[in-house]
Amino acid sequence: GEDVEQSLFLSVREGDSSVINCTYTDSSSTYLYWYKQEPGAGLQLLTYIFSNMDMKQDQRLTVLLNKKDKHLSLRIADTQTGDSAIYFCAERPGNTPLVFGKGTRLSVIA
Amino acid sequence: DSGVTQTPKHLITATGQRVTLRCSPRSGDLSVYWYQQSLDQGLQFLIQYYNGEERAKGNILERFSAQQFPDLHSELNLSSLELGDSALYFCASSPLSGETQYFGPGTRLLVL
């Protein structure tokens, strides 16, 4: 079945790196995604990775994919207070709609 | 700004009523998806339309229905509303390749 698991909370100090982890179950997932949701707002697509890649970097964001363990992580370098939000991991098994995790609430302490 | 628009932003109604939520996809996107976000269930996929045709169905209740019009905007109709239908309803659109989905700001529905 499809299930995406994430820890619910993460707290980091401003300037440190944040690492948000996610596990998924469907090995047929072709793309994996990270979305950000700020309070009262919609979901903003941060980045996504194709399943044949193991890393993708985009400015302060680094996505690592371990396909063998079905593990996805999002690293945010030099975390700022503006990064405080809920981060959702999502998988796309085959050509189907996205399956989301419950989200990780990132709190950045100044 | 993702380019996906949703109206209204907020909706307050009573149990038993019917409401219509509207979504306009990004220019050129043919696919529209509807999701429900609630505290206990998280983000749940409801239904997908592609160029006017229903493409996929998720956890959508029989009291709910949707359609996509020739101009590609979509409407989600929720009827016989219950307290438990209170949630954020998101619309997303994707380009032909379907790789990415871009979300609208959502409609917050409160059923009293």
Side-chain angles (χ1 to χ4, degrees):
Chain A
E2 304 161 353
D3 203 7
V4 178
E5 302 270 346
Q6 308 178 233
S7 52
L8 292 181
F9 300 99
L10 177 65
S11 184
V12 298
R13 293 202 175 276
E14 193 174 19
D16 288 351
S17 290
S18 309
V19 180
I20 303 172
N21 294 302
C22 166
T23 56
Y24 61 98
T25 53
D26 199 315
S27 56
S28 72
S29 288
T30 48
Y31 292 96
L32 295 133
Y33 305 82
W34 285 104
Y35 282 85
K36 175 183 179 184
Q37 185 178 30
E38 296 183 65
L43 276 78
Q44 174 195 351
L45 177 62
L46 280 180
T47 186
Y48 65 101
I49 188 167
F50 188 49
S51 59
N52 70 352
M53 298 168 66
D54 51 21
M55 186 180 101
K56 181 178 180 181
Q57 187 149 6
D58 184 1
Q59 299 181 329
R60 292 191 298 123
L61 305 179
T62 304
V63 178
L64 295 178
L65 174 60
N66 180 329
K67 212 174 168 189
K68 176 175 157 290
D69 295 338
K70 299 194 189 73
H71 183 265
L72 185 74
S73 67
L74 174 69
R75 179 177 179 268
I76 306 172
D78 186 25
T79 312
Q80 302 298 307
T81 53
D83 295 323
S84 293
I86 303 176
Y87 290 81
F88 291 91
C89 170
E91 64 173 340
R92 184 169 175 239
N95 199 26
T96 63
L98 301 181
V99 178
F100 286 87
K102 294 251 193 276
T104 299
R105 185 179 293 273
L106 174 65
S107 297
V108 182
I109 306 160
Chain B
D1 184 357
S2 67
V4 178
T5 59
Q6 289 187 248
T7 55
K9 198 165 179 167
H10 302 278
L11 203 46
I12 302 175
T13 188
T15 53
Q17 295 297 304
R18 173 191 167 96
V19 297
T20 298
L21 313 183
R22 185 188 164 103
C23 166
S24 292
R26 294 184 330 150
S27 177
D29 286 358
L30 299 178
S31 264
V32 168
Y33 306 78
W34 286 97
Y35 292 85
Q36 179 194 59
Q37 185 180 36
S38 60
L39 280 173
D40 53 344
Q41 295 290 324
L43 264 161
Q44 299 278 316
F45 165 69
L46 296 178
I47 197 163
Q48 177 199 357
Y49 278 82
Y50 177 81
N51 202 21
E53 303 280 326
E54 183 184 301
R55 175 63 67 92
K57 219 166 185 175
N59 300 321
I60 188 165
L61 299 171
E62 281 192 20
R63 301 183 284 110
F64 296 1
S65 65
Q67 53 185 325
Q68 186 179 27
F69 295 87
D71 67 353
L72 300 176
H73 91 270
S74 178
E75 292 181 355
L76 179 67
N77 300 296
L78 315 176
S79 62
S80 303
L81 284 166
E82 301 174 359
L83 296 177
D85 297 327
S86 296
L88 260 171
Y89 291 84
F90 286 109
C91 165
S93 73
S94 68
L96 190 61
S97 64
E99 279 173 23
T100 51
Q101 289 184 26
Y102 297 91
F103 280 72
T107 293
R108 187 175 292 275
L109 174 66
L110 181 59
V111 182
L112 300 174

